[in-house]
Amino acid sequence: MDLRFLDAPPTDAERDAVDAVLGPAESGWDGGRRQAADLRYARGGHAARDRRDLLLPALHAVNDRIGWISPAALDYICRRLTVPPAEAYGVATFYAMFAVHERPRRVVHVCTDIACAARGADRLRADLAERAGPPGGTDGEVVWHESPCLGLCERAPAALALEAGAPPRFAVAAPVTAAGLDRLTGSAGAPADAPPATANGHRPSGATTFAREPLAGGSAEPPAHASVPQAGDPGLVLLRRVGVVDPESLDDYRANGGYAALREALRLGPAGVIREVLDAGLVGRGGAAFPTGRKWEGTARQPDTPHYVVCNADESEPGTFKDRVIMEGDPFSLIEAMTIAGYANAAQKGYLYIRGEYPRALSLLENAIARARERNLLGRDILGSGFDFDIEIRRGAGAYICGEETAIFNSIEGRRGEPRSKPPFPVERGLFGKPTTINNVETLVNVLPIMLMGGPAYAGIGTGRSTGPKLFCVSGTVRRPGVYELPFGATLRELLDLAGGTPNGAPPRAVLLGGAAGGFVRGDELDIPLTFEGAREAGATLGSGVVLVLDETVDLPAILVRIAAFFRDESCGQCVPCRVGTVRQEEALRRLSQGVGARRTDLTLLRDVGAAMRDASICGLGQTAWNAVESAIDRLGVFATAPATVPAADAPSAAPVAKEDR
């Protein structure tokens, strides 16, 4: 991409897509028709620069409408926002879901990550490559890619098809078969000259409303409660409405206790809400386990204004899908919880950053926000309280690193999603340089029962240091995969018994706790208490709640190679320890898996590289990239004996991926 603007005009469809987000151009200075006044003075520059945060939505608009972002379309976006073309190109190429070269309208993402790999995704991938050509090829009307985790782990193996148009459409196939992949890579679907989408007055800036009719080739989308084996259990707290309420109906939500927590919060006042959250002992559910009340208190006390609330719904840790189930099965609960967070943190604006691979959740959340606005549950003077708060959805585009809290800020602001150095911390200088509270979906929805039962009663659930209920994402070689809710303190064995154990009834060979950034435990270590302190004492981590079960049929060395490829692809490249270390880690694991090279030398290299990444990387991606590999070597003895030869063609291949909150 050149440093200067181009002379090539965008097509009418490209211009319409951008203008739907940014509004029509007002002068020749921002890409519109030249007027006589434009030759005498420049105008609109300051206003355009203040909208830099609309760069990502504008890129999405073109990609969703056309299927790729041409140089002319990117140039038009840059003129509208006064962003240097080279800088915008750097943003567009940072995200895996954007294309800057022409490609077919339909793109099929075939998950090859660890949960799907344990369920035979590699065989499907190889069969598809033989019939349809290698991934990324652009012949014909469809292109397919190997994908990181799609958040459909309970229905692995999975595939997702996205088709550009007006409006764009999507289809899910999970569990997908060879025949299902053939259907997804079949006809291209909507014609290229489909009419533009009509504007929706309630739609957040830059959000895309996907068509409701299914894309040809996808399987019927199962209800959210199909992912909750405990659905209907009266003892559930966080999942009690999933499968009970209509996720599109605000009346149904309110009839089942919805918005009672917000009314109680307004009665308590901001300080009272924070006090209850502190008394509850709620800590973040994204992996870092930082006390939520302290975070809210720190933001609320900042004199600088405005304050912001950000929901991290960029759930991309391999094996994690709990946030998706909440957003699809009980979307109003998240909107209510964000509103309470805004009230407690003295914020008038919230951003919900959702990963790009969740089109169904996006559609349901857009509907929930629109219905809440209609009923005075969002917007100005909520419920006559004098409190103003609104929520804007921002969609990610396939970058796991954007799950890191400061990388989300950069992404929302229209920059590459690279982590920032800390301090300053978000409570002091976060989004747009202002005090910001950021929590993930599960953390936020825990605030609702805290408001209803009170902080001390909530703290009575679980253990003294790990309070409340916890959601666990159980997948892999297990009979009943899905999202399970248990109080902190239950054991891993109790959780796996709920999930039915392995298909043959034997103890698992290994269980991965915490996802790719977590660690393995052996099949004879199932009495580990599922608490933050219990996991730490056992040399493991709960992380984001991933519990991936692997039996004797799973190739563990191949799984480790896939984890290493994941981190290599997802490193933003900002710091040397991670940028170089993830590559060296994958290279060494491939040699070990294939039985080539000096085993002892490669194991020593892995330890040296792992220690360097853990000690010197800027963010959690590099700091945790060695965790699972280290635990597999030391705890499971994966490379303790000469490994079986794994042909290079059969090893899991690298794929572009996405990220979640640490």
Side-chain angles (χ1 to χ4, degrees):
M1 188 68 189
D2 206 324
L3 292 173
R4 58 186 175 80
F5 289 108
L6 306 175
D7 293 328
T11 65
D12 289 342
E14 291 169 337
R15 186 183 296 272
D16 288 346
V18 175
D19 289 351
V21 175
L22 305 181
E26 296 182 356
S27 72
W29 289 101
D30 63 350
R33 296 181 183 277
R34 285 198 171 232
Q35 303 171 22
D38 294 339
L39 300 177
R40 295 194 295 272
Y41 62 90
R43 52 183 170 145
H46 290 294
R49 283 190 287 277
D50 287 343
R51 300 199 301 167
R52 167 66 184 260
D53 64 295
L54 293 179
L55 176 57
L56 190 62
L59 292 171
H60 264 301
V62 174
N63 202 70
D64 290 339
R65 178 75 181 274
I66 310 301
W68 68 293
I69 302 165
S70 71
L74 188 64
D75 183 80
Y76 182 60
I77 293 171
C78 292
R79 288 181 185 275
R80 297 299 317 277
L81 297 176
T82 66
V83 175
E87 196 169 323
Y89 181 82
V91 173
T93 54
F94 183 84
Y95 299 96
M97 296 182 74
F98 292 149
V100 293
H101 299 286
E102 189 169 5
R103 67 178 180 183
R105 284 181 174 265
R106 185 184 293 192
V107 180
V108 178
H109 302 269
V110 180
C111 180
T112 59
D113 228 313
I114 51 180
C116 287
R119 287 288 189 172
D122 290 333
R123 292 191 299 274
L124 290 172
R125 172 186 58 80
D127 290 345
L128 182 60
E130 186 175 342
R131 295 192 306 275
T138 56
D139 292 337
E141 298 179 320
V142 180
V143 62
W144 73 278
H145 293 285
E146 295 173 347
S147 171
C149 182
L150 294 172
L152 296 163
C153 315
E154 81 280 21
R155 308 204 305 268
L160 169 68
L162 298 172
E163 184 173 280
R169 297 189 294 164
F170 74 96
V172 168
V176 66
T177 62
L181 284 177
D182 284 342
R183 287 193 296 272
L184 282 182
T185 55
S187 64
D193 57 353
T198 55
N200 181 341
H202 293 300
R203 190 164 64 195
S205 297
T208 296
T209 299
F210 283 83
R212 292 300 181 98
E213 68 273 13
L215 178 61
S219 57
E221 186 75 8
H225 69 266
S227 301
V228 182
Q230 299 165 294
D233 185 334
L236 294 177
V237 177
L238 305 178
L239 300 175
R240 67 186 182 89
R241 278 186 289 258
V242 177
V244 175
V245 303
D246 177 357
E248 297 190 74
S249 171
L250 177 55
D251 290 333
D252 207 3
Y253 177 70
R254 296 184 75 171
N256 285 272
Y259 281 98
L262 175 59
R263 291 184 182 276
E264 178 63 15
L266 295 174
R267 186 190 70 80
L268 289 170
V273 171
I274 293 175
R275 183 176 58 252
E276 294 293 343
V277 175
L278 285 167
D279 291 346
L282 175 65
V283 300
R285 302 299 202 243
F290 189 85
T292 304
R294 284 176 52 194
K295 182 182 289 188
W296 288 18
E297 189 176 45
T299 302
R301 288 180 174 177
Q302 294 296 320
D304 193 14
T305 59
H307 295 181
Y308 292 101
V309 167
V310 175
C311 172
N312 184 350
D314 191 54
E315 178 183 56
S316 308
E317 184 70 51
T320 312
F321 50 95
K322 57 185 173 59
D323 291 352
R324 190 205 87 232
V325 170
I326 292 173
M327 291 186 288
E328 292 182 354
D330 195 13
F332 287 100
S333 68
L334 179 56
I335 304 307
E336 181 182 6
M338 283 190 69
T339 307
I340 294 172
Y343 181 62
N345 286 275
Q348 294 187 349
K349 184 70 175 287
Y351 286 87
L352 198 166
Y353 189 96
I354 185 171
R355 67 176 301 197
E357 294 90 344
Y358 282 177
R360 184 165 185 262
L362 171 67
S363 177
L364 289 165
L365 288 167
E366 286 180 334
N367 172 74
I369 289 174
R371 303 290 80 76
R373 286 200 188 109
E374 291 172 354
R375 301 289 187 86
N376 189 222
L377 297 166
L378 271 182
R380 296 187 63 82
D381 192 23
I382 293 173
L383 295 177
S385 65
F387 167 53
D388 301 338
F389 183 75
D390 211 342
I391 297 172
E392 187 170 326
I393 294 179
R394 289 299 170 90
R395 184 158 52 116
Y400 170 80
I401 192 63
C402 286
E404 198 276 337
E405 58 185 11
T406 60
I408 279 188
F409 301 154
N410 277 338
S411 186
I412 292 174
E413 292 174 12
R415 307 182 191 281
R416 290 167 64 88
E418 296 173 339
R420 303 173 183 174
S421 297
K422 293 181 283 191
F425 295 97
V427 298
E428 300 165 330
R429 291 188 61 190
L431 184 64
F432 304 120
K434 298 298 182 179
T436 304
T437 281
I438 179 168
N439 298 112
N440 74 355
V441 174
E442 185 188 354
T443 305
L444 285 165
V445 297
N446 268 276
V447 173
L448 304 183
I450 291 173
M451 292 297 100
L452 295 176
M453 69 174 64
Y458 178 94
I461 302 172
T463 68
R465 289 189 289 172
S466 295
T467 64
K470 178 75 182 79
L471 301 182
F472 295 96
C473 309
V474 182
S475 62
T477 49
V478 66
R479 288 176 179 168
R480 291 191 295 275
V483 177
Y484 288 84
E485 180 183 316
L486 287 174
F488 276 114
T491 66
L492 179 57
R493 186 182 304 278
E494 290 171 336
L495 175 60
L496 296 189
D497 286 345
L498 271 179
T502 60
N504 62 7
R509 180 183 180 189
V511 179
L512 178 62
L513 296 179
F520 289 96
V521 298
R522 300 188 305 272
D524 60 357
E525 297 179 296
L526 302 185
D527 292 318
I528 295 173
L530 296 174
T531 60
F532 293 114
E533 62 274 15
R536 279 194 298 269
E537 290 170 5
T541 178
L542 292 187
S544 57
V546 174
V547 180
L548 177 66
V549 182
L550 304 174
D551 65 11
E552 295 294 336
T553 66
V554 177
D555 184 349
L556 271 175
I559 292 290
L560 295 183
V561 172
R562 182 64 190 89
I563 289 173
F566 170 85
F567 282 115
R568 181 207 67 196
D569 285 340
E570 290 308 309
S571 172
C572 73
Q574 185 177 192
C575 66
V576 173
C578 180
R579 181 176 71 240
V580 177
T582 53
V583 174
R584 296 294 171 258
Q585 177 173 264
E586 187 205 8
E587 291 171 346
L589 284 170
R590 284 193 180 276
R591 290 192 296 269
L592 287 165
S593 299
Q594 296 166 19
V596 299
R599 184 168 62 90
R600 182 173 297 178
T601 300
D602 279 330
L603 289 173
T604 301
L605 173 64
L606 280 173
R607 294 189 188 281
D608 290 343
V609 167
M613 290 192 293
R614 181 176 293 163
D615 293 342
S617 296
I618 287 177
C619 78
L621 186 149
Q623 293 163 12
T624 60
W626 158 244
N627 285 3
V629 178
E630 180 184 33
S631 65
I633 293 171
D634 293 342
R635 201 161 199 153
L636 306 181
V638 173
F639 299 115
T641 58
T645 301
V646 179
D650 293 338
S653 58
V657 200
K659 301 195 175 151
E660 155 163 72
D661 144 357
R662 292 275 170 257

